């Protein structure tokens, strides 16, 4: 149960919240299946869930918006990049705009152990997997975004520092894309 999802559903919205690979809801194997899959298989799971809802739950494909926070915010940005014709709008809250930023920021709450062990395992090694991380960067591929986007970010966010949102906003403004900050 989530008050935000319940609020949207009570207003007539269909809320699709898949348990994509990489999340812990279906055990360790399901979670490990998402390692190094940001913007790839994880994003495919989200698109597949939407396709299922369109085909089986009466969702109007012409009226779909993608929204999420933190990793969900990243997934919102990546959904708009990877499947630009699938969404009418996007709302990204506290979104990672480039996975490489997770290694850059020194004042976030991810410690040195997380940056040297956990992140390379789950997200990818910043050197060995650089091409994969670049391919999974909404910031690098901002020109693909077609739908209007609202970016919401807190100035004191330590998990996903605000520079993620500022960089994404600035890139979209420079490209003349519709963005609300």
């Amino acid at each position: 149960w989530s008050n935000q999802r319940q609020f949207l559903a009570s207003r007539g919205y269909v809320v699709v919240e898949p348990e994509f690979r990489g999340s812990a809801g279906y055990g360790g194997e399901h979670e490990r299946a998402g390692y190094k899959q940001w913007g790839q298989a994880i994003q495919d799971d989200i698109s597949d869930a939407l396709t299922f809802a369109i085909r089986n739950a009466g969702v109007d494909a012409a009226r779909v918006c993608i929204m999420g926070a933190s990793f969900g915010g990243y997934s919102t940005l990546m959904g708009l990049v990877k499947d630009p014709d699938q969404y009418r709008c996007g709302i990204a809250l506290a979104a990672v705009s480039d996975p490489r930023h997770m290694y850059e920021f020194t004042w976030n709450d991810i410690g040195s152990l997380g940056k040297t062990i956990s992140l390379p395992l789950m997200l990818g090694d910043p050197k060995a997997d650089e091409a994969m991380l670049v391919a999974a960067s909404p910031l690098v591929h901002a020109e693909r975004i077609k739908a209007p986007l609202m970016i919401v970010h807190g100035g004191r966010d330590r998990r996903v520092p605000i520079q993620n949102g500022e960089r994404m906003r600035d890139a979209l403004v420079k490209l003349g894309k519709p963005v609300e900050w």
Side-chain angles (χ1 to χ4, degrees):
W1 186 88
S2 162
N3 59 357
Q4 188 178 54
R5 289 148 193 88
Q6 291 295 319
F7 174 80
L8 292 169
S10 75
R11 300 307 189 267
Y13 292 95
V14 175
V15 178
V16 178
E17 187 176 16
E19 193 73 34
F20 50 82
R21 69 191 93 194
S23 52
Y26 287 109
E29 187 176 333
H30 184 73
E31 183 177 2
R32 287 185 299 278
Y35 285 8
K36 296 186 179 185
Q37 292 299 309
W38 279 39
Q40 299 174 71
I42 292 172
Q43 203 65 42
D44 294 340
D45 291 345
I46 294 163
S47 289
D48 291 347
L50 175 58
T51 298
F52 180 87
I54 290 168
R55 290 184 183 153
N56 299 291
V59 170
D60 182 351
R63 299 178 65 203
V64 174
C65 184
I66 186 169
M67 174 179 158
S70 195
F71 174 81
Y74 163 81
S75 185
T76 294
L77 297 175
M78 199 61 202
L80 295 172
V81 165
K82 192 169 184 181
D83 299 303
D85 295 321
Q86 193 168 20
Y87 302 104
R88 184 174 178 187
C89 65
I91 304 170
L93 300 96
V96 173
S97 60
D98 187 324
R100 298 171 299 170
H101 293 167
M102 301 299 286
Y103 299 95
E104 288 177 16
F105 297 121
T106 57
W107 61 275
N108 68 9
D109 69 347
I110 300 171
S112 60
L113 206 57
K115 289 181 183 178
T116 58
I117 296 173
S118 300
L119 282 181
L121 175 69
M122 296 168 41
L123 183 58
D125 181 272
K127 290 188 176 104
D129 298 316
E130 182 180 11
M132 177 189 70
L133 293 170
V134 169
S137 170
L139 181 62
V140 170
H141 304 289
E143 77 282 351
R144 295 183 190 169
I145 294 176
K146 294 180 180 179
L149 173 64
M150 176 187 288
I151 300 173
V152 180
H153 214 111
R156 294 185 182 176
D157 190 330
R158 290 180 49 97
R159 172 67 45 92
V160 183
I162 195 168
Q163 287 93 336
N164 281 274
E166 292 170 338
R167 290 175 181 179
M168 192 71 199
R169 175 204 60 205
D170 293 348
L172 292 168
V173 167
K174 186 177 180 180
L175 291 165
K177 302 285 183 173
V179 62
E180 185 170 335
W181 172 253

